[in-house]
Amino acid sequence: MRFLDSFGLLVAAGLFLAGCSQPRPKPILGCNYQVVPLTVSPRWRQAPLRLDALGAAGAQAGDAASARLGEMLRERRARRVTLLGAAQASRAEAPVDQFLALSGGGQHGAFGAGFFYGMGTLPSWDIVTGVSTGSLQSTLLFLANQPVPADRTDYGWVDGPMSGKEGATGLVVKPGSSNVGDLVLAYSIASEADLLRKRSGGAALGVVLKGSTASFAPLRARLLKIMTIGTLQAVGREWRDQKRQLFVGVSNLDDGEGYGIDMTELAARTLATDSPTELARLQGCYVDAMLASSSVPPGVPPITLQTARSTEMYMDGGARFGMFLEPVTAALRGAGDDGRAQVTLLVNTTMAVGPWSGTGQPTQRWSAVTAALRAVDLMETQVYRFSAAQVEELGIARGGLDMAYLSNAGIPGGQAPDDHVFNGKSCAAWQAIDAQAKPLQFYPWYMACTADYGRSRGVARQWNHSAARPH
């Protein structure tokens, strides 16, 4: 998630005070997350999984991960053939692998939520990956074809335009109607305070004294009501019985590397206990992994996670990868074949940095802070472009790619996102109205408009880039 304004506050605060150091956040003990290291290049045709700089031990770990993931993929394929049965065989078609990658993008995750809601029928993807806001989307899309868990009954968090409480027309969703519907509602807010709690004393003082301008305490509370024990058990059953897999991306602040956390293995542990205390702990582990994938200092603080090998601090996976399919490439290597696949890539942002001045004219005045912010924006956009190119390469190489992002590029006659009209105003107009409240990142009516724009794109299956499907 993007917190460039907060980055500027950090720079400004550092000019008058060298910032108070903060203690390492305490982790939930016993999570023991299983992780897959993420590499810079696709390497989907070759081993090792780990970067050479990580040494022989890392290469061995990579080989073991490839073997484990490859075995899961082979079993998934066999089960899928059995499920499809005679109807599939009669068409003489071999089922293809289905993979989904979800990018970061902060509030623009509303676009992806709306897009998949508009599509209606979705695949049961074999492997799903998500980064930042994509990590928040990943679980409910992983369960898109499953019923809403019976214990997801507390919808007191539902608010904002898409709930119908604000008098909006258009995209209004009934709570509990579907997992994807609940995903849309997760992006419906009445104010930024539904997701983000600003530090007392002002953002700049919060950075200096607390290490961040805000906290995700409201978002964590919301996620705990969505990611119920029943939800985790449903994810775990898909891993145990159908061999489907789900990973969220994080960046390790201590070693500087990117990792994919195996959320399905974690969720499956809820199937092995009836202890309310243990179930609550695993639920906390699950939600903390999602938040770690979304936390960008100094906007919100990093999160300490205990993996199977160490206890270290983690932040937004988008610092290393805007989106990723490394668990997919590892599984394909482990499976040892060149099977066909269909890759779906949803980029929850534009991937366009835009002119510095915002007017198309050269900037006439600048400062160290504005130049630093511009540099961060350029670097982040490039990370997303490189990451998207890696995912696209895999889809094209395997024979199938559907890619959508927040732009009308590649869509003949397609509507620009800012021009989309929701509840009588364009998305650009809603953004200007929301801006009057001076939010750090989350603009309620603009998010609702963006979700409705995504819905309209999903209904029409308007992909920005598609490659030939396997046949």
Side-chain angles (χ1 to χ4, degrees):
M1 294 188 173
R2 296 185 177 185
F3 277 96
L4 297 183
D5 290 342
S6 298
F7 178 82
L9 289 170
L10 177 64
V11 174
L15 294 178
F16 70 87
L17 184 60
C20 299
S21 63
Q22 303 296 317
R24 181 181 289 266
K26 293 182 179 180
I28 297 176
L29 297 177
C31 292
N32 295 324
Y33 300 100
Q34 302 297 310
V35 301
V36 174
L38 306 181
T39 58
V40 173
S41 61
R43 299 190 181 185
W44 65 270
R45 294 186 179 90
Q46 55 188 317
L49 177 63
R50 297 292 297 263
L51 291 170
D52 294 339
L54 297 180
Q60 291 174 1
D63 291 341
S66 290
R68 174 174 60 86
L69 296 174
E71 179 61 28
M72 290 280 289
L73 182 58
R74 285 194 295 270
E75 289 192 39
R76 168 64 180 162
R77 289 169 174 171
R79 290 171 183 266
R80 191 170 58 217
V81 169
T82 301
L83 287 172
L84 291 171
Q88 184 73 45
S90 66
R91 296 196 296 269
E93 296 176 353
V96 300
D97 299 325
Q98 293 271 359
F99 305 127
L100 170 65
L102 302 161
S103 86
Q107 65 173 345
H108 292 117
F111 164 70
F115 191 98
F116 287 116
Y117 185 78
M119 284 182 65
T121 302
L122 298 175
S124 291
W125 291 283
D126 303 308
I127 299 178
V128 175
T129 70
V131 173
S132 194
T133 199
S135 74
L136 305 181
Q137 298 170 333
S138 60
T139 296
L140 296 182
L141 289 173
F142 186 79
L143 297 177
N145 295 313
Q146 306 300 318
V148 173
D151 66 344
R152 194 188 300 155
T153 58
D154 184 355
Y155 284 97
W157 54 271
V158 173
D159 208 344
M162 292 180 285
S163 70
K165 296 180 180 180
E166 303 288 330
T169 58
L171 181 55
V172 174
V173 180
K174 180 182 178 182
S177 58
S178 69
N179 283 305
V180 182
D182 283 354
L183 174 61
V184 171
L185 289 174
Y187 286 93
S188 181
I189 60 174
S191 70
E192 185 175 62
D194 285 347
L195 303 178
L196 200 67
R197 180 182 299 159
K198 295 181 182 179
R199 298 292 188 192
S200 60
L205 188 60
V207 169
V208 174
L209 299 181
K210 297 293 186 180
S212 64
T213 65
S215 80
F216 268 151
L219 175 59
R220 191 176 197 278
R222 177 175 288 215
L223 287 174
L224 286 171
K225 292 179 180 179
I226 300 173
M227 303 299 154
T228 61
I229 300 302
T231 302
L232 270 61
Q233 290 173 335
V235 171
R237 284 191 292 270
E238 288 298 297
W239 181 80
R240 182 192 65 186
D241 300 337
Q242 302 302 327
K243 306 305 178 184
R244 298 176 63 215
Q245 300 172 76
L246 166 63
F247 297 83
V248 301
V250 292
S251 297
N252 186 318
L253 281 169
D254 287 300
D255 71 11
E257 299 296 334
Y259 296 89
I261 297 177
D262 189 339
M263 302 294 280
T264 32
E265 184 277 334
L266 173 63
R269 297 182 216 167
T270 62
L271 303 175
T273 181
D274 293 324
S275 166
T277 300
E278 177 64 7
L279 289 170
R281 189 184 63 79
L282 290 170
Q283 183 187 27
C285 292
Y286 197 94
V287 169
D288 271 5
M290 299 171 73
L291 291 174
S293 181
S294 308
S295 298
V296 182
V300 291
I303 293 178
T304 302
L305 302 178
Q306 183 188 62
T307 69
R309 70 181 182 88
S310 64
T311 300
E312 295 172 313
M313 285 196 298
Y314 291 84
M315 63 169 284
D316 193 333
R320 294 285 293 172
F321 296 87
M323 59 227 75
F324 69 97
L325 278 180
E326 184 64 22
V328 169
T329 64
L332 292 172
R333 286 197 299 270
D337 64 55
D338 293 320
R340 295 175 297 172
Q342 179 68 31
V343 173
T344 302
L345 171 58
L346 200 295
V347 183
N348 292 293
T349 187
T350 66
M351 295 197 300
V353 69
W356 189 3
S357 66
T359 64
Q361 299 299 315
T363 294
Q364 301 302 315
R365 299 185 65 83
W366 64 279
S367 68
V369 172
T370 59
L373 290 172
R374 180 63 171 176
V376 171
D377 203 13
L378 292 172
M379 288 187 289
E380 185 180 29
T381 301
Q382 198 59 34
V383 166
Y384 273 65
R385 290 179 179 178
F386 281 137
S387 300
Q390 290 181 345
V391 176
E392 286 180 277
E393 178 188 347
L394 176 62
I396 292 170
R398 291 283 169 162
L401 170 71
D402 283 328
M403 174 185 180
Y405 56 97
L406 191 60
S407 167
N408 60 348
I411 305 173
Q415 185 182 45
D418 281 350
D419 295 337
H420 182 75
V421 175
F422 174 74
N423 214 48
K425 293 182 176 65
S426 70
C427 291
W430 281 123
Q431 185 175 37
I433 293 170
D434 287 337
Q436 295 174 14
K438 298 182 179 179
L440 286 176
Q441 182 184 12
F442 299 104
Y443 292 62
W445 281 89
Y446 173 72
M447 289 171 65
C449 188
T450 301
D452 192 60
Y453 169 73
R455 180 205 56 79
S456 69
R457 289 268 305 273
V459 168
R461 304 284 173 129
Q462 289 183 330
W463 303 98
N464 298 93
H465 180 200
S466 289
R469 293 177 180 271
H471 58 276

